[in-house]
Amino acid sequence: MNTDKFTNVLTPAEVLVAEGFWKNKMELARTKVIPYEWEALNDRIEGATSSHSIMNFIIAGELTEKRKTGNAVSTSDKDFQGMVFQDSDTAKWLEAAANILMWHKDNELEALIDQVIDIICAAQQPDGYLNTYYIINGLDKRFTNLRDNHELYCLGHMLEAAVAYYQATKKRKLLDAMIHYVELVDRLFGPEPEKAKGYPGHEVIEMALIKLYRITKDERHVKLAKYFIDQRGQSPNYFEEEAVTYGNGTLWNDTYFKMGYFQAHKPVREQDTAIGHAVRAMYLYCGMADVAKETKDESLLLACQNIWNNITEKQMYITGSVGSSSTGESFSFDYDLPNQTAYAETCAAIGLVFFAQRMLLMEPDSRYADIMEKTLFNGIISGISLDGTRFFYLNPLESVPESCEKDEKCQRTDATRQKWFGVACCPPNIARLLSSVGSYIYTVKEQAVYQHLFIGSTIQHMINGEAVRIETSTNYPWDGKVKIKIVTKNPVEFQYAVRIPGWCKNYKLSLNKETVKQPVIEKGYACISRTWQDDNIIELDFSMPVVIMKSNSNVRENTGKCAVMRGPLVYCLEEEDNGGNLHCITMDINGTYQSVWEPRTLDGVTAVYSKGRKTISNRNELYMEADAEKTETIALKWIPYYAWANRSVGEMAVWIRT
Amino acid sequence: MNTDKFTNVLTPAEVLVAEGFWKNKMELARTKVIPYEWEALNDRIEGATSSHSIMNFIIAGELTEKRKTGNAVSTSDKDFQGMVFQDSDTAKWLEAAANILMWHKDNELEALIDQVIDIICAAQQPDGYLNTYYIINGLDKRFTNLRDNHELYCLGHMLEAAVAYYQATKKRKLLDAMIHYVELVDRLFGPEPEKAKGYPGHEVIEMALIKLYRITKDERHVKLAKYFIDQRGQSPNYFEEEAVTYGNGTLWNDTYFKMGYFQAHKPVREQDTAIGHAVRAMYLYCGMADVAKETKDESLLLACQNIWNNITEKQMYITGSVGSSSTGESFSFDYDLPNQTAYAETCAAIGLVFFAQRMLLMEPDSRYADIMEKTLFNGIISGISLDGTRFFYLNPLESVPESCEKDEKCQRTDATRQKWFGVACCPPNIARLLSSVGSYIYTVKEQAVYQHLFIGSTIQHMINGEAVRIETSTNYPWDGKVKIKIVTKNPVEFQYAVRIPGWCKNYKLSLNKETVKQPVIEKGYACISRTWQDDNIIELDFSMPVVIMKSNSNVRENTGKCAVMRGPLVYCLEEEDNGGNLHCITMDINGTYQSVWEPRTLDGVTAVYSKGRKTISNRNELYMEADAEKTETIALKWIPYYAWANRSVGEMAVWIRT
């Protein structure tokens, strides 16, 4: 295994996002999303689906206190409410809030988090256990349904929150509590004969344990993560045995994916196709990549590469969304990418960004960063309204409001973003991603810096023994100019590798105002190895024309259709700009597409204008002899896909007939 | 109301289908379907879903006998099995078998039917009640859930069977038993204050009562039918009140159609859009038309016309199938006609033929007969294999076997016809239709004959006081030549009205070898009024080129696509002839389409050959910059849609990109 290629993420303290598109999203997360979600977790949003997540911790804490003090627990105690994984909503909010403290000092928020941590820790059992569903409903049943009941999933998310808060504040209370819980899990599950052979029905703990390990350097943490990865899908199947032992009913056995729903149909190293519940799947693949890196496991890396290829070459929307089927919120099968009924869960797209970053850490290759960027700019931020208070769980690429209402196949899609959800995984997940987006810009190794994303930012990092600052300024994605300034007290030798986006066919690269005529390109990165002086400047100018895209001909849904992209952004047509019956519109792949920066449209976007044709119909018959279609030329206005459904309710489509 | 237009059906004894396409289907029904279904009803088909329908009657009969003789009924008696409407499968088989006796003397079959009738009648209660579900499970609950439990539906079908068997044999045993049951229902339900205000959750009894009335001339029978029609959807809603009174759970209230599922959302005269469960809906509209005719009710006719227009102008597949949504097996909304997930139940298409015939009886207008013919030749007979022993419940217009297996949206569709179904409404329904297809050819009035269909047949009928025989010979639908011979002892004056099919743009009509240059056309019928002599001959030659059809531009699914028709037949492409990935094929609307009679293909069909283009793909990327599509010219072979899925399992598509 070529560990020379390995890079590392920067610590949160080393990156500061300073300006531009993503800084605005981060500020949205800080000023709107986090306060809004806090209200939601406490059930104070009028008309929103109840959460009860904080209340579950309070009730569990009271029960724990009563049990410790020997007071009888009466049946009049309040009930657990919400999904079996409701704890994870609080955990994800906590992680997002902790992320914010890494780049924005906020004593009030920190005090609130400390309060929440006190509430959480008060519920912890003496042996470390901490899951409100079982604390409230009966501890005797804990760990009897790993397949469905999300205990290890909730632990994983709380562990990630604990790590983030520790990184932000160095406060250890939640971290220590979670380590205590991890130790309990480590005593119960593992490869040793005396331990049970369980693993989570919903993955996430694997990557959480690696995050923990990177702080603690405690080998037990990586070992436990590796165990969960290695044991998954082994025969005899733990979930099947557990179901028999504890009489747990089955659900997914009646579907074609069966144990594949949990990615437990075979050992992970034998898996080469993304399958089953998409968020579960993505989190597993992240855990596999993490363990592969930490244990230098070639066979695991190979499985990750195979699965990556399957996803990105056969199962991914052009927006970077994955998991096309609402049945099981799942991957379906190769090239099955319906637009109107797309499940394309926000959380699954987030998982793809996590996976891309982890693959980049093992092999800097722009194909990972291209997808990471595509997904960030399209399939993820489509999940949140421009004002930060409405959310899509599903991100279809075509929407017809009448179908959302009347067509059962589309009824899980919404024509408008919602205030909150019964299963509220997506809103806090998007918050933790937006609040930490700076960590996806760079990865580094001893004498090299890789820049994957173009975000107005400053990093501070020790490179080759020297404290180097790197400042990026750009108006990306609205234009393709990027200026990178190196600030160093002493000259320092290292390689600066900057990604040339896959979408870009023409670019100019200059170093200190001189064009670099034949830059060295390695795996999609322009690599400049030299001794850097203070105030050295790299400039990139990515030509960013509108590009008309088509799909692989195997994608049934998109035959005869094209989509508009500009830079990393996928565009769409909305009824608001183009009238209804978008299916009657055709676009011209050889036409003129004009980009116009519109500061007052949708909080500021580059819109695209073109001419198209629309069928004129004045006939009432349902079927008639075909003749040359009567069409009229119409002006089309395209907006970035991520910004759809922020105005009037209406039709939307990404893929348009040619 | 213009009752001058009214026509009547011929009695079964007056029509004999003699030869050709439909005679073959009738013989298939007689020699294959009826014997096969008898085995199925008795659970003797290996690997087929259990029916138990006959057994339910046997068990019910034994219980009835025990109750009459005072013997205790022990709990060890055998159980009712199957759906709550399982009785109707036997009823429909009986009706089909009775239909066959009308045109094919068969002592063995008649003896078998008598045996079945004995079994059925043995289960009848002293007060006339006859429904095995309640006889076996407890009579105290009878008529407590008209909404869901299909008692009046089962009665309706058994009544239709009784009428048919009486017409075939003049035997009254089943007819009298059913009249006895109808009298019970008439005592319980009706407009009089002392009667309950119920009506069936699944319609059919309305049209059955009119069939009965046409035999009995008993006004009570038409009055009861009219009551069921008039009461439906009135406020307060009977189903809502019944649900409260008897604690019946609700299901469809959680869907957008609510009471519309049962067409009980408003009074029928206020309904103008087909809604809800498609078979229920079609049977209601038939009942409305029947009652409109018998009671000369203008407002009811108007409602029928409005609904007819809605269905045929906005909610019908080009195959004549209706009910596009699998949710509730229902009509969905205007222009929502998905191809791959089409529900398009065989029974609903049969219902559309029933409805068309009933509209024709009130106003001879070829738009009704056009749809009747389209549905017979396409959306109905697609439901049965060429060998008569495999059935489609759903009739999609596009099929991809992998989707049937893995895509939940398509999982109610099958890639191959099935041996039988848990809900086995379609196989016996198609049997009763095929066995009675002769009755759709003509309608008549005092001095006029209307020929709606072109089927090799002979009718015998008293016209204007003279016994006239009319012989039609044709190779329709394979060619458009039709020869009609009048046989009469004495010259007789009447109008012969023959339909000029809507699909036909050019035809020749001749009378006694002389071309009729400007035939009188009334509502789509060429009308020849004269004094007919023996051996007068009408000849029609309908030009039958291949026609390329398109959909109304509001049909989202078919934009940019066309379909092939020839005469009344819709064609399709199958993978067997054209390779896989049918979505990669485009057709040329200006190309040459050649018809070839192939006696050995699919039991003899006219195939159509054309050239098309198919995308060549040798790229692995999922998304790429659009360029001129690389395509190759390929030969396309089109077969009649009804004959698909009779060879290897593979893709099929009716609508092809242009």
Side-chain angles (χ1 to χ4, degrees):
Chain A
M1 194 171 193
N2 186 357
T3 57
D4 292 351
K5 291 193 201 163
F6 282 15
T7 58
N8 295 304
V9 290
L10 294 167
T11 67
E14 293 175 314
V15 193
L16 189 71
V17 174
E19 57 168 32
F21 186 93
W22 288 104
K23 177 64 176 174
N24 293 345
K25 294 287 175 200
M26 291 169 77
E27 284 297 323
L28 187 72
R30 184 178 74 80
T31 61
K32 295 285 178 63
V33 185
I34 288 295
Y36 179 86
E37 291 183 354
W38 175 248
E39 296 303 298
L41 290 173
N42 286 281
D43 296 319
R44 291 192 292 253
I45 308 277
E46 204 178 326
T49 306
S50 162
S51 164
H52 208 259
S53 184
I54 297 291
M55 186 50 70
N56 287 335
F57 280 106
I58 293 171
I59 296 167
E62 287 169 0
L63 281 169
T64 302
E65 179 60 23
K66 281 188 192 167
R67 284 172 188 148
K68 276 184 193 156
T69 56
N71 287 338
V73 176
S74 80
T75 51
S76 68
D77 281 301
K78 285 181 226 142
D79 289 336
F80 178 91
Q81 284 179 34
M83 309 302 292
V84 71
F85 45 82
Q86 211 73 352
D87 289 2
S88 64
D89 293 342
T90 292
K92 280 187 277 189
W93 177 86
L94 252 183
E95 185 184 346
N99 287 343
I100 282 166
L101 294 183
M102 296 183 198
W103 49 269
H104 183 90
K105 178 94 183 142
D106 183 336
N107 292 335
E108 205 178 320
L109 180 61
E110 188 170 332
L112 178 62
I113 295 175
D114 285 334
Q115 227 181 319
V116 175
I117 289 174
D118 288 344
I119 289 170
I120 293 168
C121 292
Q124 188 165 36
Q125 303 301 297
D127 65 358
Y129 187 80
L130 212 179
N131 181 293
T132 71
Y133 176 83
Y134 283 104
I135 292 171
I136 296 171
N137 290 328
L139 284 163
D140 54 317
K141 290 272 190 296
R142 71 184 198 179
F143 298 127
T144 60
N145 191 347
L146 293 189
R147 190 192 61 198
D148 299 330
N149 285 359
H150 291 72
E151 281 159 295
L152 298 176
Y153 170 82
C154 290
L155 165 54
H157 272 304
M158 198 58 85
L159 194 50
E160 291 195 286
V163 169
Y165 195 58
Y166 169 77
Q167 288 179 314
T169 63
K170 298 295 164 203
K171 291 182 182 171
R172 293 193 61 101
K173 179 169 181 175
L174 186 61
L175 186 69
D176 287 338
M178 287 302 109
I179 291 173
H180 189 194
Y181 189 2
V182 166
E183 282 165 357
L184 169 66
V185 170
D186 192 36
R187 283 196 301 278
L188 296 172
F189 302 100
E192 297 81 1
E194 73 279 11
K195 296 183 184 175
K197 294 294 164 282
Y199 44 87
H202 193 317
E203 304 88 335
V204 84
I205 193 172
E206 301 84 348
M207 55 175 160
L209 283 165
I210 299 299
K211 281 187 182 173
L212 179 64
Y213 166 71
R214 287 174 184 161
I215 288 174
T216 63
K217 307 294 177 197
D218 183 337
E219 288 292 334
R220 290 179 304 171
H221 298 152
V222 71
K223 227 185 95 206
L224 185 58
K226 178 176 155 54
Y227 158 75
F228 284 137
I229 295 293
D230 289 349
Q231 184 58 35
R232 190 163 210 92
Q234 299 289 352
S235 288
N237 186 288
Y238 182 80
F239 294 149
E240 284 169 7
E241 298 201 323
E242 180 193 62
V244 172
T245 307
Y246 298 109
N248 302 328
T250 61
L251 178 55
W252 300 106
N253 272 353
D254 294 336
T255 62
Y256 90 95
F257 29 61
K258 299 187 172 63
M259 276 295 153
Y261 174 81
F262 309 97
Q263 302 77 44
H265 54 305
K266 51 183 166 183
V268 299
R269 285 172 187 76
E270 295 169 24
Q271 298 189 26
D272 54 12
T273 306
I275 190 173
H277 186 268
V279 180
R280 282 174 166 81
M282 295 315 310
Y283 287 5
L284 168 64
Y285 310 146
C286 291
M288 287 164 63
D290 276 340
V291 170
K293 180 166 191 272
E294 293 306 334
T295 65
K296 302 179 180 59
D297 184 330
E298 192 88 50
S299 62
L300 212 45
L301 172 60
L302 184 63
C304 289
Q305 288 164 332
N306 288 339
I307 290 168
W308 175 272
N309 292 343
N310 173 259
I311 293 171
T312 59
E313 292 172 10
K314 295 180 181 167
Q315 298 208 68
M316 182 187 72
Y317 288 97
I318 194 169
T319 55
S321 287
V322 292
S324 64
S325 171
S326 69
T327 307
E329 308 180 309
S330 71
F331 286 98
S332 54
F333 52 98
D334 291 352
Y335 302 113
D336 177 47
L337 295 162
N339 294 312
Q340 213 188 336
T341 64
Y343 202 73
E345 185 180 340
T346 308
C347 287
I350 291 171
L352 183 57
V353 167
F354 294 165
F355 188 28
Q357 186 194 35
R358 281 157 177 79
M359 294 307 285
L360 279 175
L361 291 177
M362 286 187 283
E363 36 175 14
D365 186 328
S366 67
R367 66 199 185 113
Y368 300 121
D370 282 344
I371 299 292
M372 185 165 83
E373 181 183 79
K374 170 195 277 293
T375 310
L376 281 168
F377 274 113
N378 301 288
I380 290 176
I381 54 172
S382 57
I384 184 168
S385 64
L386 294 177
D387 72 358
T389 64
R390 296 287 186 283
F391 304 91
F392 275 137
Y393 195 107
L394 278 61
N395 297 277
L397 278 76
E398 185 174 335
S399 182
V400 177
E402 187 172 20
S403 300
C404 295
E405 182 197 349
K406 296 177 178 174
D407 181 351
E408 175 75 11
K409 302 189 298 299
C410 299
Q411 280 183 350
R412 295 192 68 173
T413 63
D414 292 309
T416 52
R417 292 183 183 80
Q418 304 296 302
K419 289 181 174 181
W420 202 249
F421 306 96
V423 174
C425 49
C426 299
N429 220 357
I430 206 167
R432 70 188 185 124
L433 183 84
L434 293 183
S435 58
S436 64
V437 77
S439 63
Y440 298 91
I441 307 172
Y442 292 94
T443 59
V444 293
K445 59 182 179 179
E446 182 54 27
Q447 295 178 23
V449 173
Y450 288 86
Q451 180 163 11
H452 309 294
L453 301 178
F454 306 104
I455 294 181
S457 61
T458 301
I459 66 168
Q460 300 269 9
H461 188 61
M462 289 299 292
I463 308 175
N464 211 1
E466 196 67 33
V468 179
R469 194 162 89 235
I470 301 173
E471 297 170 5
T472 300
S473 52
T474 180
N475 192 29
Y476 200 89
W478 308 122
D479 75 48
K481 291 191 176 60
V482 180
K483 184 174 170 185
I484 299 157
K485 181 169 137 186
I486 311 292
V487 181
T488 178
K489 205 181 253 180
N490 303 305
V492 52
E493 196 181 333
F494 65 93
Q495 174 187 270
Y496 200 88
V498 59
R499 170 177 153 256
I500 306 302
W503 57 258
C504 179
K505 299 287 171 266
N506 291 296
Y507 64 95
K508 276 202 329 211
L509 170 64
S510 65
L511 177 62
N512 300 327
K513 300 283 177 189
E514 274 184 37
T515 301
V516 181
K517 284 200 176 137
Q518 285 195 306
V520 178
I521 305 292
E522 276 176 28
K523 300 261 180 193
Y525 291 79
C527 299
I528 309 174
S529 292
R530 69 194 301 264
T531 302
W532 297 89
Q533 314 283 345
D534 186 43
D535 209 22
N536 277 184
I537 287 174
I538 303 167
E539 281 171 297
L540 289 149
D541 189 352
F542 300 121
S543 169
M544 201 179 261
V546 172
V547 179
I548 311 301
M549 300 293 293
K550 68 174 185 178
S551 298
N552 187 295
S553 61
N554 289 317
V555 181
R556 299 172 49 80
E557 284 270 334
N558 295 345
T559 39
K561 294 182 175 180
C562 281
V564 165
M565 287 190 74
R566 180 174 177 270
L569 293 176
V570 175
Y571 280 70
C572 68
L573 297 181
E574 272 200 307
E575 182 170 346
E576 167 126 355
D577 301 312
N578 303 287
N581 282 329
L582 295 181
H583 69 277
C584 288
I585 291 175
T586 57
M587 60 188 282
D588 179 0
I589 70 166
N590 299 311
T592 303
Y593 289 77
Q594 196 185 355
S595 315
V596 180
W597 169 249
E598 298 188 357
R600 269 174 298 276
T601 301
L602 297 161
D603 289 0
V605 296
T606 296
V608 172
Y609 290 87
S610 71
K611 295 246 185 291
R613 300 196 69 80
K614 193 164 187 177
T615 306
I616 304 166
S617 176
N618 49 10
R619 296 176 71 169
N620 292 327
E621 301 124 286
L622 190 48
Y623 304 106
M624 63 209 90
E625 197 169 338
D627 47 17
E629 205 74 63
K630 285 199 193 83
T631 60
E632 60 183 342
T633 300
I634 58 163
L636 298 180
K637 178 176 182 176
W638 308 76
I639 60 156
Y641 167 75
Y642 76 79
W644 83 279
N646 276 290
R647 298 175 296 178
S648 58
V649 176
E651 292 182 31
M652 180 278 293
V654 169
W655 292 99
I656 302 294
R657 285 188 304 127
T658 57
Chain B
M1 195 172 193
N2 185 357
T3 58
D4 291 352
K5 291 190 199 165
F6 282 16
T7 58
N8 295 305
V9 291
L10 295 166
T11 68
E14 292 175 313
V15 193
L16 189 72
V17 175
E19 56 168 32
F21 187 93
W22 287 104
K23 178 65 176 174
N24 294 343
K25 294 287 175 200
M26 291 170 76
E27 284 297 324
L28 187 71
R30 184 177 73 78
T31 61
K32 295 286 179 60
V33 185
I34 287 294
Y36 179 87
E37 290 183 355
W38 175 247
E39 296 303 298
L41 290 173
N42 287 281
D43 295 319
R44 291 191 292 254
I45 307 280
E46 205 177 325
T49 306
S50 163
S51 165
H52 208 258
S53 183
I54 298 291
M55 186 51 70
N56 287 334
F57 281 105
I58 293 171
I59 296 166
E62 286 169 359
L63 282 169
T64 302
E65 179 61 24
K66 280 188 194 166
R67 285 172 186 148
K68 277 184 191 155
T69 58
N71 287 338
V73 175
S74 81
T75 50
S76 68
D77 282 301
K78 285 181 229 142
D79 289 337
F80 178 91
Q81 284 179 35
M83 309 303 291
V84 71
F85 44 81
Q86 211 73 354
D87 289 2
S88 65
D89 293 343
T90 292
K92 281 187 277 190
W93 177 85
L94 252 182
E95 184 184 345
N99 287 343
I100 282 166
L101 296 182
M102 296 182 197
W103 47 268
H104 183 90
K105 178 98 183 141
D106 184 335
N107 292 335
E108 205 178 319
L109 180 60
E110 188 171 332
L112 178 62
I113 295 173
D114 285 334
Q115 227 180 320
V116 176
I117 289 173
D118 288 344
I119 290 170
I120 292 168
C121 292
Q124 189 166 36
Q125 304 302 297
D127 65 358
Y129 187 80
L130 212 179
N131 181 293
T132 71
Y133 176 82
Y134 284 104
I135 292 171
I136 296 171
N137 290 327
L139 284 164
D140 54 317
K141 290 271 191 295
R142 72 184 196 179
F143 299 127
T144 61
N145 191 347
L146 293 190
R147 190 192 61 199
D148 300 329
N149 285 359
H150 291 72
E151 280 160 294
L152 298 176
Y153 171 81
C154 290
L155 165 54
H157 272 305
M158 198 59 85
L159 195 49
E160 291 196 284
V163 168
Y165 194 58
Y166 169 78
Q167 289 179 312
T169 64
K170 299 292 163 204
K171 292 182 182 170
R172 293 194 61 100
K173 179 169 181 175
L174 187 61
L175 185 69
D176 288 337
M178 287 302 110
I179 290 173
H180 189 194
Y181 189 1
V182 166
E183 282 164 357
L184 169 66
V185 169
D186 193 36
R187 284 197 300 279
L188 296 173
F189 302 100
E192 297 80 3
E194 72 279 10
K195 295 183 184 176
K197 294 295 163 282
Y199 45 87
H202 194 316
E203 303 89 336
V204 83
I205 193 172
E206 301 84 348
M207 55 175 160
L209 284 166
I210 299 298
K211 280 187 183 175
L212 179 65
Y213 166 72
R214 286 174 183 160
I215 289 174
T216 62
K217 306 293 177 199
D218 183 336
E219 288 292 334
R220 289 179 305 169
H221 298 152
V222 71
K223 226 185 97 207
L224 185 59
K226 178 175 154 54
Y227 158 75
F228 284 138
I229 296 292
D230 290 347
Q231 184 59 33
R232 190 163 211 91
Q234 299 289 352
S235 287
N237 187 288
Y238 182 81
F239 294 149
E240 284 170 6
E241 297 201 324
E242 180 193 62
V244 172
T245 307
Y246 298 108
N248 302 329
T250 61
L251 180 54
W252 300 107
N253 272 353
D254 294 337
T255 63
Y256 90 93
F257 29 63
K258 300 186 173 62
M259 276 297 151
Y261 175 81
F262 308 98
Q263 302 78 44
H265 54 306
K266 51 184 168 183
V268 300
R269 285 171 186 77
E270 295 169 25
Q271 298 188 26
D272 55 11
T273 307
I275 189 173
H277 185 266
V279 180
R280 283 172 166 81
M282 295 315 310
Y283 287 6
L284 168 64
Y285 309 146
C286 292
M288 286 164 63
D290 277 339
V291 170
K293 180 167 191 269
E294 293 306 335
T295 65
K296 302 178 181 59
D297 184 330
E298 192 88 48
S299 62
L300 211 46
L301 173 60
L302 183 63
C304 289
Q305 288 164 332
N306 288 339
I307 290 167
W308 175 271
N309 292 344
N310 172 259
I311 293 171
T312 59
E313 292 172 9
K314 295 180 181 167
Q315 298 208 69
M316 181 186 73
Y317 287 97
I318 194 169
T319 55
S321 288
V322 292
S324 65
S325 172
S326 70
T327 308
E329 309 180 309
S330 71
F331 285 98
S332 54
F333 52 99
D334 290 351
Y335 303 113
D336 177 47
L337 295 162
N339 294 311
Q340 212 188 337
T341 63
Y343 202 73
E345 185 180 339
T346 308
C347 289
I350 292 171
L352 183 58
V353 167
F354 295 165
F355 188 28
Q357 186 193 35
R358 282 159 176 78
M359 294 306 285
L360 279 175
L361 292 177
M362 285 188 282
E363 36 175 13
D365 186 328
S366 67
R367 67 197 184 114
Y368 300 120
D370 282 344
I371 299 291
M372 184 166 83
E373 180 183 80
K374 169 193 277 292
T375 309
L376 281 168
F377 274 113
N378 300 289
I380 290 176
I381 55 173
S382 58
I384 185 167
S385 64
L386 294 177
D387 72 359
T389 64
R390 295 288 186 284
F391 304 91
F392 276 138
Y393 195 108
L394 277 62
N395 297 278
L397 278 77
E398 185 173 335
S399 181
V400 177
E402 188 172 19
S403 300
C404 295
E405 183 196 349
K406 297 178 178 174
D407 181 352
E408 175 75 11
K409 300 189 300 297
C410 300
Q411 280 182 351
R412 296 191 67 171
T413 64
D414 291 309
T416 51
R417 294 183 182 80
Q418 305 296 303
K419 289 181 175 180
W420 201 249
F421 306 95
V423 174
C425 49
C426 299
N429 221 357
I430 205 166
R432 71 188 184 122
L433 183 83
L434 294 182
S435 57
S436 64
V437 77
S439 64
Y440 298 91
I441 307 172
Y442 292 95
T443 59
V444 293
K445 59 182 179 179
E446 182 53 30
Q447 295 180 26
V449 172
Y450 288 86
Q451 180 162 13
H452 309 293
L453 301 177
F454 307 104
I455 295 180
S457 60
T458 301
I459 66 167
Q460 301 269 9
H461 188 61
M462 289 299 292
I463 308 175
N464 212 0
E466 195 68 31
V468 179
R469 192 161 90 237
I470 302 173
E471 296 171 5
T472 300
S473 54
T474 180
N475 191 29
Y476 200 91
W478 308 121
D479 75 48
K481 292 191 175 59
V482 180
K483 185 176 170 184
I484 300 157
K485 182 169 138 184
I486 311 292
V487 182
T488 179
K489 207 180 250 180
N490 303 306
V492 52
E493 196 181 333
F494 64 93
Q495 175 186 269
Y496 200 88
V498 58
R499 170 176 152 257
I500 307 302
W503 56 258
C504 179
K505 300 287 170 263
N506 292 296
Y507 64 95
K508 275 202 332 210
L509 169 64
S510 65
L511 178 62
N512 300 326
K513 299 283 178 192
E514 274 184 39
T515 301
V516 181
K517 283 196 180 143
Q518 285 193 306
V520 178
I521 304 292
E522 277 175 26
K523 300 261 179 192
Y525 291 79
C527 299
I528 309 176
S529 292
R530 69 194 300 265
T531 302
W532 297 90
Q533 313 283 344
D534 188 43
D535 209 23
N536 277 182
I537 288 175
I538 303 166
E539 280 172 297
L540 289 148
D541 189 352
F542 301 119
S543 170
M544 200 180 263
V546 173
V547 179
I548 311 303
M549 300 294 292
K550 68 175 185 178
S551 299
N552 186 295
S553 61
N554 289 318
V555 181
R556 298 173 51 80
E557 284 270 334
N558 295 345
T559 38
K561 294 182 173 180
C562 281
V564 165
M565 288 190 73
R566 181 176 176 271
L569 293 176
V570 174
Y571 279 71
C572 68
L573 296 180
E574 272 200 308
E575 182 170 348
E576 168 127 353
D577 301 312
N578 303 286
N581 283 328
L582 296 181
H583 69 277
C584 289
I585 292 174
T586 56
M587 61 188 282
D588 179 1
I589 70 167
N590 299 311
T592 304
Y593 289 78
Q594 197 186 357
S595 314
V596 180
W597 169 249
E598 298 188 359
R600 268 175 298 276
T601 301
L602 297 160
D603 289 0
V605 296
T606 296
V608 171
Y609 291 86
S610 70
K611 295 245 185 291
R613 301 196 69 79
K614 192 165 187 176
T615 306
I616 304 167
S617 176
N618 49 11
R619 296 176 72 170
N620 292 326
E621 300 125 287
L622 190 47
Y623 303 105
M624 63 209 90
E625 197 171 336
D627 47 16
E629 205 74 64
K630 284 199 192 85
T631 60
E632 60 184 341
T633 301
I634 59 163
L636 299 179
K637 178 175 182 176
W638 308 76
I639 60 155
Y641 167 75
Y642 77 79
W644 84 279
N646 276 290
R647 298 174 298 179
S648 57
V649 176
E651 292 182 30
M652 179 279 293
V654 169
W655 291 99
I656 303 295
R657 284 189 304 128
T658 56

